[in-house]
Amino acid sequence: MAATPPHADLVLRSTRVVTPGTTGPAAVAVADGRIAAVLPHDAPPPAGATVVDLGDDMLLPGLVDTHVHVNDPGRTEWEGFWTATQAAAAGGITTLLDMPLNSLPPTTTAANLAVKQDVARPKAHVDTGFWGGAIPGNVKELRPLHEAGVFGFKCFLSPSGVEEFPELDPAGLEAALTEIAAFDGLLIVHAEDPGHLGSAPQPHGPRYADFLASRPRAAENDAIALLVDLARKLDARVHVLHLSSSDALPMIAAAKRDGVRVTVETCPHFLTLTAEEVPDGATEFKCCPPIRERENQDALWAGLADGTIDCVVSDHSPCTADLKVADFGQAWGGISSLQLGLPAVWTEARRRGHRAEDVVRWMSSAPAALAGLDRTKGGIVPGRDADFAVLAPDETFTVDPAELHHRNQVTAYAGRTLSGVVRSTWLRGEQITDHGRTIAKTGRLIERTSA
């Protein structure tokens, strides 16, 4: 640990500070919004610094959520930057990246990006960046979007659910990835094969088993195989979104060993919810790809433990309550979890023997690295932004949807008892939440080139 810095305006002291690879007593000194030093717990604070003693509450780096559907502008009744970023902050997330679809216009041109930035700027409670979109016919828009600061490009290999964001066929995927590889950009992919989805039984009615049969594992497996083969051929950077099928893990692990530049995420709902527990008609559990069986979940946890899966992010995909009709074939697919991801994952991770350092790696440092933000975000490391979440790891609570900041209080976690209460969240050394209550709005718009 460092010696006492010559200057700091804030010191956060805890018996459980989570730094890369370890948890223990420490004091974190902050100067001008950045971490100045990590000091011994009993180090005398610099003259004039405000000292906040957190006791035994854990001090974590602020989480980085790279998969959030904010839907603003255009579908702001589903969610919006004002509500989404407050929910993020209440859940310990200090940086989020917004997905390019479900807003109107979608983020598929530099001009559309500017529209979204203008809408987000006055509403952001946490640092907020943007993905661009790769759709049929917009290859010429990809480089301008890259130069405008998007963190990469999202595409679908099967229908997205909204007509303004069509999927890419294999030729379109190769064309987009060829262009993105030319400037060493990143393509993030919703990987489900439309052929498998078309030949599977079509979803209908209230039974979850019927919906699950409509999204077979083979649809994910074959789409990921196509993506990996293209990444290998083009030496391109690709990222598999919301991995649900554990069957794909051996293929992904082999590709990584071969040097293919592929990374993978999964989501809290795949790690904490199972197909066996979904009641009939409970379409708050519907998402694509779907929540699968318990044995599949066990294999996903093993993939996290061995590093095949890199990170855990929310895929917060909300909608209005009326779109969650009791028919799995008709209901909008998406899980609302932005405020609940940390306690949900921590509850199950601890039960399975994982440590706080593991959760921080999956939910903060690895997503920051994915987005190229690891010089400023994702760790309690001198020189990085003083972004923190303060967690009471042993305290439990029961999820009450009415207490969530999400615009629509529909969540698959309703009534579940979780461990880990977020006491406060700090952005660049300023406290922005207190026991879930918003007390400051200091979020900024960030770009891929941000230092």
Side-chain angles (χ1 to χ4, degrees):
M1 291 188 183
T4 302
H7 165 69
D9 40 57
L10 172 70
V11 174
L12 297 179
R13 181 184 287 146
S14 167
T15 62
R16 293 188 280 189
V17 176
V18 183
T19 55
T22 189
T23 298
V28 181
V30 175
D32 303 320
R34 297 206 172 201
I35 297 168
V38 180
L39 308 170
H41 184 266
D42 58 356
T50 299
V51 178
V52 178
D53 196 323
L54 303 171
D56 294 330
D57 287 346
M58 274 185 181
L59 184 65
L60 317 177
L63 303 191
V64 177
D65 192 337
T66 54
H67 195 148
V68 182
H69 294 267
V70 180
N71 309 334
D72 195 7
R75 292 189 175 97
T76 313
E77 70 276 12
W78 293 16
E79 190 63 276
F81 286 104
W82 185 262
T83 49
T85 58
Q86 287 191 75
I93 297 163
T94 51
T95 303
L96 67 80
L97 300 189
D98 172 61
M99 283 292 163
L101 73 157
N102 298 341
S103 58
L104 296 169
T107 318
T108 51
T109 68
N112 289 358
L113 171 65
V115 170
K116 183 171 284 193
Q117 289 171 324
D118 287 344
V119 169
R121 191 171 288 108
K123 301 178 182 179
H125 291 80
V126 300
D127 285 358
T128 301
F130 304 91
W131 296 107
I135 62 172
N138 84 325
V139 168
K140 291 183 178 179
E141 302 288 348
L142 302 179
R143 188 178 292 269
L145 275 164
H146 177 75
E147 292 171 350
V150 298
F151 286 84
F153 303 89
K154 179 178 186 176
C155 74
F156 280 74
L157 303 186
S158 57
S160 71
V162 291
E163 63 181 11
E164 67 274 4
F165 204 96
E167 72 274 19
L168 295 177
D169 62 18
L173 174 65
E174 183 162 4
L177 192 52
T178 299
E179 174 68 4
I180 293 165
F183 49 78
D184 201 32
L186 174 65
L187 183 68
I188 64 174
V189 182
H190 181 123
E192 288 184 287
D193 175 76
H196 282 292
L197 298 181
S199 62
Q202 295 306 292
H204 64 282
R207 293 183 67 245
Y208 186 74
D210 293 335
F211 171 66
L212 185 59
S214 75
R215 317 291 296 206
R217 297 189 199 188
E220 281 189 85
N221 304 337
D222 284 4
I224 292 168
L226 171 64
L227 181 64
V228 166
D229 286 347
L230 267 181
R232 189 191 308 269
K233 172 183 172 182
L234 299 172
D235 188 28
R237 296 168 57 216
V238 297
H239 178 72
V240 177
L241 296 168
H242 44 49
L243 181 69
S244 162
S245 171
S246 64
D247 294 348
L249 290 169
M251 169 178 50
I252 294 165
K256 288 187 169 191
R257 288 194 298 269
D258 290 345
V260 179
R261 297 196 290 167
V262 57
T263 51
V264 185
E265 69 184 44
T266 193
C267 303
H269 41 277
F270 298 138
L271 298 172
T272 62
L273 307 174
T274 62
E276 291 90 342
E277 67 187 302
V278 179
D280 286 353
T283 56
E284 62 269 27
F285 289 84
K286 178 182 176 179
C287 58
C288 301
I291 295 165
R292 301 193 187 276
E293 303 84 354
R294 185 170 291 108
E295 52 85 17
N296 181 83
Q297 183 183 92
D298 291 341
L300 291 177
W301 277 101
L304 268 175
D306 68 20
T308 304
I309 299 173
D310 299 272
C311 53
V312 180
V313 292
S314 70
D315 189 13
H316 178 68
S317 185
C319 66
T320 52
D322 61 292
L323 296 180
K324 285 292 192 180
V325 297
D327 184 325
F328 276 98
Q330 299 299 317
W332 177 260
I335 304 281
S336 293
S337 64
L338 191 58
Q339 190 170 333
L340 299 171
L342 175 56
V345 172
W346 170 242
T347 300
E348 186 65 11
R350 185 167 65 167
R351 188 183 75 80
R352 290 174 178 263
H354 295 289
R355 304 175 302 164
E357 301 96 287
D358 300 320
V359 174
V360 164
R361 185 174 69 254
W362 300 329
M363 302 188 78
S364 184
S365 58
L370 172 72
L373 290 170
D374 43 331
R375 288 187 298 168
T376 55
K377 307 288 187 183
I380 298 179
V381 176
R384 298 193 192 179
D385 290 348
D387 299 348
F388 308 112
V390 177
L391 183 73
D394 304 314
E395 189 170 326
T396 63
F397 69 102
T398 299
V399 176
D400 178 358
E403 295 181 356
L404 300 177
H405 289 282
H406 306 161
R407 174 153 293 177
N408 294 281
Q409 283 77 37
V410 177
T411 177
Y413 294 94
R416 294 177 74 92
T417 298
L418 302 177
S419 297
V421 172
V422 178
R423 299 272 199 220
S424 62
T425 306
W426 302 66
L427 183 61
R428 284 184 298 278
E430 182 171 352
Q431 186 177 353
I432 59 172
T433 72
D434 180 32
H435 291 79
R437 181 174 58 90
T438 302
I439 60 174
K441 187 182 78 67
T442 62
R444 300 175 182 172
L445 299 194
I446 56 174
E447 298 178 358
R448 174 186 43 79
T449 54
S450 296

